[in-house]
Amino acid sequence: MSESTNPLADDEETDATDRGGTDARERETDATPEAGPDADDGEPERPDTWTPTTGAESVIAALEGADVTRAFGVQGGAIMPIYDALYHSSITHLTMAHEQGAAHAADAYGVVAGDPGVCLATSGPGATNLVTGIADASMDSDAMLALTGQVPSHMVGSDAFQETDTTGVTKPITKHNYFASDADTVGDTVGEAFALARTGRPGPTLVDLPKDVSLDDTDREPGPAEAPARSTPDPEADTAEVAAAARAIEAAERPLCLFGGGVIKGNATEEARAFAREHGIPVVTTMPGIGSFPEDDDLCLSWAGMHGTGYANMAITHTDCLIAVGTRFDDRLTGGVETFAPEAEVVHVDIDPAEISKNVHADYPVVGDAGTALEQVSAAMGESPDVESWRERCTGWRESFPMDYVVDPDEPVRPQFVVEAFDAATADDAVVTTGVGQHQMWAAQYWTFTQPRTFVSSHGLGTMGYGLPGAIGARVALDERDETDRPVVCFDGDGSFLMTIQELSVAVREHLDITVVVLNNEYIGMVRQWQDAFFEGRHMASEYDWMPEFDTMAEAFGARGFSIESYDEVSDVVEEALSYDGPSVVDARVDPQENVYPMVSSGGANGEFALTEDQL
Amino acid sequence: MSGSDDANASDADPDHPADAPDAESARRPGEDTPNRGMAGARPEERPQPAGRRNSHGVRVDPEVEAAEAERTAAVSALVENEPGVLSRVSGLFSRRQFNIESLTVGPTTVDGHSRITLVVEETDSGIDQAKKQLKKLTPVIAVGELRDDAVRAELVLLKVRGEEPDKVHAITEMYEGQTLDAGPRTITAQITGDQGKIDDAIDAFRQFGIIEIARTGQTALERGDSPTTPGEEPGHSATGADETETETAAEKTGEYDD
Ligand SMILES: Cc1ncc(C[n+]2csc(CCOP(=O)(O)OP(=O)(O)O)c2C)c(N)n1
């Protein structure tokens, strides 16, 4: 790759005439990669006010104009002009080991920061490596912008080197994607894509950037980042809808709030908490909704669904009025819809009208922003429903179905104990990320979440390998906000960790203070659990006869490694790992036979959750 | 959430669950908590409500539950005529398993706008979903479902054997069609009309031996003053700026405002 441009805006030689195409000038020799944007010290100089002169600079100007401060990505031929334009940008770029890691890191960054994360990749394999992360963001309605390099426009369609139809591939997994066609407009396109990602129901967007568009000259400055007016929903709900919902809630005898991820994404946590407390209505959350309501509050029954608490699933089964906010009624939440909240009138508050009655019929649709709509509904309610006895029933279920497990010093360490140990040793504002599997469920079940944006996981797509890059993104978001004291703990499975383990190199290189806790059961545990329950215990492709030593491996990366093999090691390791200022990996050898309960079988009734295998 | 079981919770310091259990203070398997899994009433011992929903998530009386019937609907989408918009629409329909009978697309008189007409066969809730999902696509400007009395038409080209030109001509006339090509071996006719008429015409041509056929699928417009998609304004006056304003006004009246 010899193509590059010099984006020095104050360099007079950087003129339109010698720009673009294959005869672009070589970068000046002092601009070594080591001194580049990844270096912590010595921000490259650029005048405060500058005007883009190429498509690539226009892209960066648009990002800066949208207050983007951070990007995650991996270099490559077709994206080089964009990277080159980043060289003098105020945006800090974090080079990841793999594009999937870049996408997950950007996703998690966005979840924690509340602003869309940005990821970059080159064409072809770079772009396809992003795909899992984009799909993940799409399923979880996470705002994210992906920028991908593309072969030059005139070669598109010719099966050129590293050409992939990126907009084609990502069409079904983006909120919208764009194929940039012109250096004059590419900045506006990127701005629009960024704004669209966070507007209304959030989601990932992508702009595919042919190399010639990036290299071409332009004298147009991008305008402010704005989403198309059509895509900007009205936050306020229809007053008739609101009134109808209010009447239904007033009349309810067994009302229940169901807070989904939309409550957190819509920054409606305060309104949601106020609503439930003012009316004394018990709360369950979905998994993405974890943190929307404090789990240590008496009203909170934690989360419902396949591995939700028994009490949440009892409440959701017996409610007569489900006030669902910002949830899409995923099948892992509902089980079989035939038996989902079967006696409930459903009030469904959502910003996306297409979610209304998609999976579960909404008797009272309320289309609007979660916080605004909840306040509207509350204001429209004349009185609170009388729920004293219903609350008592809910409390009763909490006692009849305790989230309990056995701790026996003669047996291997229970994974739940490790989760609780880390929870106890960290403040409420710690951020937890996870991979996918049993460990994810234990983290969700046994960590007591009280704040929004502290549980960062792969919910809808269930992507093994999310945890470590997610922790990197979360850490970066916190550090940027000077919240360096807030710990980031990644609970990972041995299988999940191995899927994106290379990102440990990034954490070491960037000196990121994260703690990876591998709940190592030497199994693809969740699969093993299902095989035991549904495939007569045939452990096909779910057990290993060899596993790396994760603590030693961590040390080889330059991280700190710890291991836990018995209960009496737990508290020391927890303390040491958390107090180490940098990435640490705890290889927690946990009971390989432990299973996740309660469990609602797929398509089963939530109220019939199993507590032991024979109940499945 | 606490992992402790009631009987032993008092032994453990709740602030330090990380403390290693020893033989005395261990949370031993109680009578309640099995070594694997959890304590609590078995599923069949719990009260279960009698209510049910159907597969669309609608609460129903389980005794009288009947499958929701499918119907055919024509849906019109006004879209921005940008590359890939057709594949977005068709991709949406295939991904979400909406049954689609036909799809036609063509420009309108407004620069940069096209109209896509889709004929879908779905339940009421399926049609509703299809419309809402369509509306969510960024290049889609407006979506409307055509009323029963809408004006609908489709075009078919039929190539039949040319042995009996007079008879072919007669049938073509009967269906108010046109002969586009007539040679010694084949005759190609064009028929337009609603779906029923086209179906009938095809049946009538079968006697000659149909060699090839090409059908466009249905296009449709609302009758009279009603706009085909909500807020749609007459094609000659649309500009970006007042588009949104008129949209609200027209949405309220459901009619063109001029
Ligand atoms: C990328 C990906 N591949 C496969 C799966 C299917 N899957 C779900 S859970 C699971 C096991 C995860 O094992 P591990 O990470 O060791 O966690 P554990 O369940 O043992 O805690 C697998 C293979 C998945 N969710 N994601």
Side-chain angles (χ1 to χ4, degrees), chain A residues 100 104 132 332 415 435-442 458 461-466 491-499 518-530 541-542 544 547 590 592 594 596:
Chain A
Q100 184 188 345
H104 291 326
T132 301
R332 293 283 146 127
V436 168
Q438 295 181 311
H439 62 280
Q440 176 189 31
M441 297 302 130
W442 289 316
S458 171
L461 196 66
T463 313
M464 288 170 71
Y466 181 86
F491 287 103
D492 230 339
D494 36 67
S496 292
F497 190 36
L498 283 172
M499 288 213 178
V518 185
L519 298 179
N520 184 354
N521 51 15
E522 301 190 26
Y523 274 117
I524 294 290
M526 189 58 99
V527 170
R528 194 270 307 147
Q529 175 172 347
W530 283 51
S542 64
Y544 316 97
M547 279 292 274
V590 296
E594 187 59 324
V596 184

Coordinates of all heavy atoms in Angstrom, one line a residue, chain A residues 100 104 132 332 415 435-442 458 461-466 491-499 518-530 541-542 544 547 590 592 594 596, ligand 1:
Chain A
Q100 N -13.8 -7.7 15.1 CA -14.9 -8.0 15.9 C -14.7 -7.4 17.3 O -15.7 -6.9 17.9 CB -15.0 -9.6 16.1 CG -16.3 -9.9 16.9 CD -16.3 -11.4 17.3 OE1 -15.6 -12.2 16.7 NE2 -17.2 -11.8 18.2
H104 N -17.3 -4.7 19.1 CA -17.8 -4.9 20.5 C -17.4 -3.8 21.4 O -18.1 -3.4 22.3 CB -17.4 -6.3 21.1 CG -18.0 -7.5 20.4 ND1 -19.3 -7.5 19.9 CD2 -17.5 -8.7 20.2 CE1 -19.6 -8.6 19.3 NE2 -18.5 -9.4 19.5
T132 N -20.3 -9.5 13.1 CA -20.9 -10.1 14.3 C -21.2 -9.0 15.3 O -22.2 -8.9 15.9 CB -19.9 -11.1 14.9 OG1 -19.6 -12.1 14.0 CG2 -20.4 -11.7 16.2
R332 N -36.7 -15.2 24.8 CA -36.1 -15.6 26.0 C -36.8 -15.0 27.2 O -36.6 -15.4 28.4 CB -34.6 -15.2 26.0 CG -33.8 -16.0 25.0 CD -33.6 -17.4 25.5 NE -33.6 -18.3 24.3 CZ -32.6 -19.2 24.1 NH1 -31.5 -19.3 24.8 NH2 -32.8 -20.0 23.1
P415 N -19.6 -21.2 41.1 CA -19.4 -20.0 40.3 C -20.1 -18.8 40.9 O -19.6 -17.7 40.9 CB -19.9 -20.3 38.9 CG -20.7 -21.6 39.0 CD -20.1 -22.3 40.2
G435 N -19.3 -12.7 28.7 CA -19.4 -13.4 27.5 C -20.8 -14.0 27.4 O -21.7 -13.4 28.0
V436 N -21.0 -15.2 26.8 CA -22.3 -15.8 26.7 C -22.2 -17.2 27.2 O -21.4 -18.0 26.7 CB -22.9 -15.6 25.3 CG1 -24.1 -16.5 25.1 CG2 -23.2 -14.2 25.0
G437 N -23.1 -17.6 28.0 CA -23.2 -18.9 28.5 C -23.7 -18.9 30.0 O -24.3 -17.9 30.5
Q438 N -23.3 -19.9 30.7 CA -23.7 -20.0 32.1 C -23.2 -18.9 32.9 O -23.9 -18.3 33.7 CB -23.2 -21.4 32.7 CG -23.8 -22.6 32.0 CD -23.3 -23.9 32.7 OE1 -22.0 -24.0 32.9 NE2 -24.1 -24.8 33.1
H439 N -21.9 -18.6 32.7 CA -21.3 -17.5 33.5 C -22.0 -16.2 33.4 O -22.1 -15.4 34.3 CB -19.8 -17.3 33.0 CG -19.7 -16.9 31.6 ND1 -19.8 -17.7 30.6 CD2 -19.6 -15.6 31.1 CE1 -19.7 -17.1 29.4 NE2 -19.6 -15.8 29.7
Q440 N -22.5 -16.0 32.2 CA -23.3 -14.7 31.9 C -24.6 -14.7 32.8 O -24.9 -13.7 33.4 CB -23.7 -14.7 30.4 CG -24.6 -13.5 30.0 CD -25.1 -13.7 28.6 OE1 -25.2 -14.8 28.1 NE2 -25.3 -12.6 27.9
M441 N -25.2 -15.9 32.9 CA -26.4 -15.9 33.7 C -26.1 -15.8 35.1 O -26.8 -15.1 35.9 CB -27.1 -17.3 33.4 CG -27.6 -17.5 32.0 SD -28.7 -16.2 31.5 CE -28.0 -15.6 30.0
W442 N -25.0 -16.4 35.6 CA -24.7 -16.3 37.0 C -24.3 -14.8 37.3 O -24.7 -14.3 38.4 CB -23.5 -17.2 37.4 CG -24.0 -18.7 37.4 CD1 -25.1 -19.1 38.0 CD2 -23.3 -19.8 36.8 NE1 -25.2 -20.5 37.8 CE2 -24.1 -20.9 37.1 CE3 -22.1 -19.9 36.2 CZ2 -23.7 -22.2 36.7 CZ3 -21.7 -21.2 35.8 CH2 -22.5 -22.3 36.0
S458 N -24.1 -9.2 25.9 CA -24.6 -9.5 24.6 C -25.9 -10.2 24.8 O -25.9 -11.4 25.1 CB -23.6 -10.4 23.8 OG -24.3 -10.8 22.6
L461 N -28.2 -11.2 20.6 CA -27.5 -12.0 19.7 C -26.8 -13.2 20.4 O -26.6 -14.2 19.9 CB -26.4 -11.2 18.9 CG -25.9 -11.9 17.6 CD1 -27.0 -12.1 16.6 CD2 -24.7 -11.2 17.0
G462 N -26.5 -12.9 21.7 CA -25.8 -14.0 22.5 C -24.4 -14.3 21.9 O -24.2 -15.5 21.6
T463 N -23.6 -13.3 21.8 CA -22.3 -13.5 21.2 C -21.2 -13.9 22.1 O -20.7 -13.0 22.9 CB -21.9 -12.2 20.5 OG1 -23.0 -11.7 19.7 CG2 -20.7 -12.4 19.6
M464 N -20.8 -15.1 22.1 CA -19.6 -15.5 22.9 C -18.4 -14.6 22.4 O -18.3 -14.4 21.3 CB -19.3 -17.0 22.6 CG -20.2 -18.0 23.3 SD -19.9 -19.7 22.7 CE -18.3 -20.0 23.5
G465 N -17.6 -14.2 23.4 CA -16.5 -13.4 23.0 C -16.8 -11.9 23.2 O -15.9 -11.1 23.0
Y466 N -18.0 -11.5 23.6 CA -18.3 -10.1 23.8 C -17.6 -9.5 25.0 O -17.2 -8.3 25.0 CB -19.8 -10.0 24.0 CG -20.3 -8.5 24.2 CD1 -20.5 -7.7 23.1 CD2 -20.4 -8.0 25.4 CE1 -20.9 -6.4 23.2 CE2 -20.8 -6.6 25.6 CZ -21.1 -5.9 24.5 OH -21.4 -4.6 24.6
F491 N -17.0 -11.0 33.5 CA -17.2 -12.4 33.7 C -17.2 -13.2 32.4 O -18.0 -12.9 31.6 CB -18.4 -12.7 34.5 CG -18.3 -12.2 36.0 CD1 -18.9 -11.0 36.4 CD2 -17.6 -13.0 36.9 CE1 -18.8 -10.6 37.7 CE2 -17.5 -12.5 38.2 CZ -18.1 -11.3 38.6
D492 N -16.3 -14.1 32.3 CA -16.2 -14.8 31.0 C -16.3 -16.3 31.2 O -16.0 -16.8 32.3 CB -14.9 -14.4 30.3 CG -15.1 -14.0 28.9 OD1 -16.1 -14.3 28.3 OD2 -14.2 -13.3 28.3
G493 N -16.6 -17.0 30.2 CA -16.5 -18.4 30.2 C -15.2 -18.8 29.6 O -14.7 -18.0 28.8
D494 N -14.8 -20.0 29.8 CA -13.5 -20.4 29.2 C -13.7 -20.4 27.7 O -12.8 -20.0 26.9 CB -13.1 -21.8 29.7 CG -14.2 -22.7 30.0 OD1 -14.9 -23.1 29.0 OD2 -14.5 -23.0 31.1
G495 N -14.8 -20.9 27.2 CA -15.1 -20.9 25.8 C -15.2 -19.5 25.2 O -14.6 -19.2 24.2
S496 N -16.0 -18.7 25.9 CA -16.2 -17.3 25.4 C -14.8 -16.5 25.4 O -14.5 -15.8 24.4 CB -17.2 -16.6 26.3 OG -18.4 -17.1 26.1
F497 N -14.1 -16.7 26.4 CA -12.8 -16.0 26.5 C -11.9 -16.3 25.3 O -11.2 -15.5 24.7 CB -12.1 -16.4 27.8 CG -10.9 -15.5 28.2 CD1 -10.8 -14.2 27.9 CD2 -9.8 -16.1 28.9 CE1 -9.7 -13.4 28.3 CE2 -8.7 -15.4 29.3 CZ -8.7 -14.0 29.0
L498 N -11.9 -17.6 25.0 CA -11.0 -18.0 23.9 C -11.4 -17.4 22.5 O -10.7 -17.4 21.6 CB -11.0 -19.6 23.8 CG -10.1 -20.3 24.9 CD1 -10.3 -21.8 24.8 CD2 -8.6 -19.9 24.6
M499 N -12.6 -17.0 22.4 CA -13.1 -16.4 21.2 C -12.5 -15.0 20.8 O -12.4 -14.7 19.7 CB -14.6 -16.4 21.1 CG -15.2 -17.7 21.0 SD -16.8 -17.7 20.0 CE -17.2 -19.5 20.0
V518 N -12.5 -15.5 34.6 CA -13.0 -16.7 33.8 C -13.6 -17.7 34.8 O -12.9 -18.3 35.6 CB -11.8 -17.3 33.1 CG1 -12.3 -18.4 32.1 CG2 -11.0 -16.2 32.3
L519 N -14.9 -17.9 34.6 CA -15.5 -18.9 35.4 C -15.3 -20.2 34.7 O -16.1 -20.6 33.8 CB -17.0 -18.6 35.6 CG -17.3 -17.3 36.4 CD1 -18.8 -17.1 36.5 CD2 -16.7 -17.3 37.8
N520 N -14.1 -20.8 34.9 CA -13.6 -21.9 34.1 C -14.2 -23.2 34.6 O -13.8 -23.7 35.6 CB -12.1 -21.8 34.2 CG -11.4 -22.9 33.3 OD1 -12.1 -23.7 32.7 ND2 -10.1 -22.8 33.2
N521 N -15.1 -23.7 33.8 CA -15.7 -25.0 34.1 C -15.2 -26.1 33.1 O -15.7 -27.2 33.1 CB -17.2 -25.0 34.2 CG -17.8 -24.3 32.9 OD1 -17.1 -24.2 31.9 ND2 -19.0 -24.0 33.0
E522 N -14.2 -25.8 32.3 CA -13.7 -26.7 31.3 C -14.7 -27.3 30.5 O -14.6 -28.5 30.0 CB -12.8 -27.8 32.0 CG -11.7 -27.1 32.8 CD -10.6 -28.1 33.3 OE1 -10.5 -29.2 32.7 OE2 -10.0 -27.8 34.3
Y523 N -15.8 -26.6 30.3 CA -16.9 -27.0 29.4 C -17.4 -25.8 28.6 O -17.2 -24.7 29.1 CB -18.1 -27.5 30.2 CG -18.1 -28.9 30.7 CD1 -18.1 -29.2 32.1 CD2 -18.1 -30.0 29.8 CE1 -18.1 -30.5 32.5 CE2 -18.2 -31.3 30.2 CZ -18.1 -31.6 31.6 OH -18.2 -32.9 32.0
I524 N -17.9 -26.1 27.5 CA -18.8 -25.1 26.9 C -20.1 -25.3 27.7 O -21.0 -26.1 27.3 CB -19.0 -25.5 25.4 CG1 -17.7 -25.3 24.7 CG2 -20.1 -24.7 24.7 CD1 -17.2 -23.9 24.5
G525 N -20.1 -24.7 28.9 CA -21.0 -25.1 29.9 C -22.5 -25.1 29.6 O -23.2 -26.0 30.0
M526 N -22.9 -24.0 29.0 CA -24.4 -23.9 28.7 C -24.8 -25.0 27.8 O -25.9 -25.6 27.9 CB -24.7 -22.6 28.1 CG -26.1 -22.3 28.0 SD -27.0 -22.4 29.6 CE -27.0 -20.6 30.1
V527 N -23.9 -25.4 26.9 CA -24.3 -26.5 25.9 C -24.3 -27.8 26.7 O -25.2 -28.6 26.5 CB -23.2 -26.5 24.8 CG1 -23.4 -27.8 23.9 CG2 -23.4 -25.3 23.9
R528 N -23.3 -28.0 27.6 CA -23.2 -29.2 28.4 C -24.5 -29.3 29.2 O -25.1 -30.4 29.3 CB -22.0 -29.1 29.3 CG -21.6 -30.4 29.9 CD -22.2 -30.7 31.3 NE -22.0 -29.6 32.2 CZ -22.8 -29.2 33.1 NH1 -24.0 -29.8 33.3 NH2 -22.6 -28.1 33.9
Q529 N -25.0 -28.2 29.8 CA -26.2 -28.3 30.6 C -27.4 -28.7 29.7 O -28.2 -29.5 30.2 CB -26.5 -26.9 31.2 CG -27.8 -26.8 32.0 CD -28.0 -25.5 32.8 OE1 -27.0 -24.7 32.9 NE2 -29.2 -25.3 33.2
W530 N -27.5 -28.2 28.5 CA -28.6 -28.6 27.7 C -28.4 -30.0 27.2 O -29.4 -30.8 27.1 CB -28.6 -27.7 26.4 CG -29.2 -26.3 26.7 CD1 -28.9 -25.5 27.7 CD2 -30.3 -25.7 26.0 NE1 -29.6 -24.3 27.6 CE2 -30.5 -24.4 26.6 CE3 -31.1 -26.0 24.9 CZ2 -31.5 -23.5 26.1 CZ3 -32.0 -25.1 24.4 CH2 -32.2 -23.9 25.1
A541 N -18.9 -32.3 21.5 CA -18.2 -31.0 21.2 C -18.5 -30.0 22.3 O -18.5 -28.8 22.0 CB -18.7 -30.5 19.9
S542 N -18.6 -30.4 23.5 CA -18.8 -29.4 24.6 C -17.8 -29.5 25.7 O -17.8 -28.7 26.6 CB -20.2 -29.5 25.2 OG -20.4 -30.7 25.8
Y544 N -13.6 -30.3 26.8 CA -12.3 -30.2 26.3 C -11.5 -31.3 27.1 O -11.7 -31.5 28.3 CB -11.6 -28.9 26.6 CG -12.4 -27.7 26.3 CD1 -13.1 -27.0 27.3 CD2 -12.5 -27.1 25.0 CE1 -13.8 -25.8 27.0 CE2 -13.2 -26.0 24.7 CZ -13.8 -25.3 25.8 OH -14.5 -24.2 25.5
M547 N -7.1 -27.6 28.3 CA -7.4 -26.2 28.4 C -6.1 -25.4 28.7 O -5.3 -25.9 29.4 CB -8.4 -25.9 29.5 CG -9.8 -26.2 29.2 SD -10.4 -25.0 28.0 CE -10.9 -23.7 29.0
V590 N -14.1 -23.4 38.6 CA -15.3 -23.6 39.3 C -15.9 -25.0 39.1 O -15.5 -25.7 38.2 CB -16.4 -22.5 38.9 CG1 -15.9 -21.1 39.3 CG2 -16.6 -22.6 37.4
P592 N -17.5 -27.8 37.7 CA -17.9 -28.0 36.3 C -19.3 -28.6 36.1 O -19.9 -28.5 35.1 CB -16.9 -29.1 35.8 CG -16.0 -29.4 36.9 CD -16.4 -28.7 38.1
E594 N -21.9 -27.5 37.8 CA -23.0 -26.6 38.2 C -23.9 -26.2 37.0 O -23.3 -26.0 35.9 CB -22.4 -25.4 38.9 CG -23.4 -24.5 39.5 CD -24.3 -25.1 40.6 OE1 -24.7 -26.3 40.5 OE2 -24.7 -24.4 41.6
V596 N -27.3 -23.8 35.6 CA -28.0 -22.5 35.8 C -29.5 -22.8 36.1 O -30.2 -23.4 35.2 CB -27.9 -21.6 34.6 CG1 -28.6 -20.2 34.9 CG2 -26.5 -21.4 34.2
Ligands
LIG1 C1 -20.3 -17.0 18.8 C2 -21.1 -18.1 19.5 N1 -20.9 -19.4 19.1 C3 -21.7 -20.3 19.7 C4 -22.6 -20.0 20.7 C5 -23.5 -21.1 21.3 N2 -23.2 -21.2 22.7 C6 -24.0 -20.6 23.6 S1 -23.5 -20.7 25.2 C7 -22.2 -21.6 24.7 C8 -21.3 -22.1 25.7 C9 -20.4 -21.1 26.3 O1 -19.3 -21.7 26.9 P1 -18.4 -20.8 27.9 O2 -18.0 -19.5 27.2 O3 -17.3 -21.7 28.3 O4 -19.4 -20.4 29.1 P2 -20.1 -21.4 30.2 O5 -21.4 -21.7 29.6 O6 -19.3 -22.6 30.4 O7 -20.2 -20.5 31.3 C10 -22.2 -21.8 23.3 C11 -21.2 -22.6 22.6 C12 -22.8 -18.6 21.0 N3 -23.7 -18.2 21.8 N4 -22.0 -17.7 20.4

